[in-house]
Amino acid sequence: MSQPESPVEPFKRAVAAATRAIAEEAELEVSFGAEAPGLVQGTARLPQPSRELEAGEIDEIRGIADQLALKQRHHDPEMHARRLPSGGDARAVYDSLEIARVEAIGANRMTGVAQNLDAALESHCRSQGFAQLNDRSEAPLAEAVRLMLRQRLTGRQVPSAAGQLVELWQPLIDDKAATDLEALTAAAADQDAFSQVARRMIAHLDLAEEWEGDDSDEAPDDQDSEDDSEGEDVDGEGSSPDAMAAQGDEMSEAEGDVDGEADGTL
């Protein structure tokens, strides 16, 4: 007699199907394991769910899956690498701005995706201890700019676990780069234009020189951030909120069907 199927297996199948639907990649491999989540050589790696499948865990895994699916569908790694700045802090800010842009595509169009992304982000902020930060020197600037841009693009509030982080950096960002945040919101429909504004913002924050190259420039050789991301390092062809909603129309039917399947398995 065969063993009864673990309740984890239907959940994993539903998440994998949703990931492929959002990514528009029917052959995308989706794996679950102990490795760090991310897109690695065409495989979306997700955390292994526990047998208990607690509600918070379900939402977090779905959120990570949605992050990776949006990256797979909307991310142009060559374009992103073309203007990748040198220096760890500059790169972190550059990547984080792209994360906010791509996640906003899904969040603005699909309520379920927005909730999943919120859950994953809240968990990330709690795990990083952002609520306990008391000094700007301990607070990652890249995370602050990501959260501030995300709020502008989606209208969604900063996670409760990250309010202190944003509060520490917001005065400086508003002073040096408020107009850049506005320009990023306006330019987000075009990844190429967005990346140029991102480089300008990074220069205004005194992290790197402003971009002065052109499209024929070679990308840097040391781009480990692309494959070593933790599932949140995503970017894409986002947009202002209205344009992103229109862009998301083509995703909604498949996502709705798969969300229904996933909800029915839990």
Side-chain angles (χ1 to χ4, degrees):
M1 180 182 296
S2 61
Q3 294 292 326
E5 185 178 50
S6 165
V8 172
E9 296 309 313
F11 170 71
K12 289 165 68 173
R13 287 197 298 270
V15 169
T19 303
R20 296 185 184 104
I22 296 173
E24 284 198 335
E25 290 285 349
E27 304 303 319
L28 177 67
E29 184 175 350
V30 180
S31 67
F32 297 82
E35 302 91 347
L39 280 174
V40 180
Q41 297 180 342
T43 296
R45 299 195 313 199
L46 300 173
Q48 176 68 37
S50 67
R51 291 185 60 84
E52 292 75 17
L53 276 179
E54 298 177 358
E57 178 187 20
I58 290 168
D59 293 341
E60 182 180 356
I61 292 175
R62 282 179 161 179
I64 295 171
D66 289 349
Q67 290 169 344
L68 300 187
L70 291 167
K71 176 176 182 178
Q72 179 68 22
R73 180 165 179 179
H74 298 286
H75 175 58
D76 183 338
E78 291 185 1
M79 183 178 294
H80 183 70
R82 188 177 299 140
R83 297 189 177 92
L84 190 68
S86 59
D89 290 341
R91 287 189 177 198
V93 169
Y94 183 75
D95 289 342
S96 289
L97 292 171
E98 298 295 312
I99 292 169
R101 183 166 68 90
V102 170
E103 292 187 3
I105 298 173
N108 281 344
R109 186 60 186 91
M110 294 168 283
T111 301
V113 168
Q115 293 171 345
N116 294 341
L117 294 173
D118 285 351
L121 183 58
E122 183 74 36
S123 176
H124 169 70
C125 293
R126 286 199 309 270
S127 70
Q128 296 299 309
F130 292 159
Q132 285 74 51
L133 296 172
N134 294 308
D135 189 90
R136 189 183 292 168
S137 64
E138 303 171 349
L141 172 59
E143 298 278 8
V145 297
R146 171 191 177 183
L147 293 168
M148 291 176 66
L149 180 60
R150 168 186 175 271
Q151 187 171 27
R152 284 174 174 263
L153 289 174
T154 67
R156 305 185 76 83
Q157 295 301 309
V158 171
S160 58
Q164 179 70 6
L165 167 69
V166 172
E167 184 176 330
L168 287 169
W169 278 110
Q170 187 161 4
L172 182 144
I173 295 171
D174 285 345
D175 179 55
K176 293 191 172 185
T179 57
D180 297 317
L181 284 174
E182 294 177 7
L184 286 168
T185 303
D190 180 346
Q191 182 181 344
D192 186 48
F194 184 93
S195 66
Q196 293 185 59
V197 179
R199 285 301 307 265
R200 186 164 69 241
M201 179 177 183
I202 289 167
H204 291 162
L205 292 172
D206 302 320
L207 298 176
E209 296 296 325
E210 189 166 345
W211 172 257
E212 295 181 354
D214 56 49
D215 288 347
S216 65
D217 289 348
E218 294 183 359
D221 292 332
D222 50 344
Q223 303 167 27
D224 294 339
S225 61
E226 286 299 321
D227 287 335
D228 292 343
S229 67
E230 295 184 353
E232 294 169 342
D233 286 351
V234 297
D235 37 283
E237 48 192 65
S239 64
S240 62
D242 289 343
M244 275 189 283
Q247 194 175 53
D249 282 339
E250 62 194 39
M251 291 192 286
S252 59
E253 182 175 351
E255 167 63 10
D257 291 343
V258 176
D259 261 353
E261 175 189 345
D263 291 340
T265 65
L266 302 178

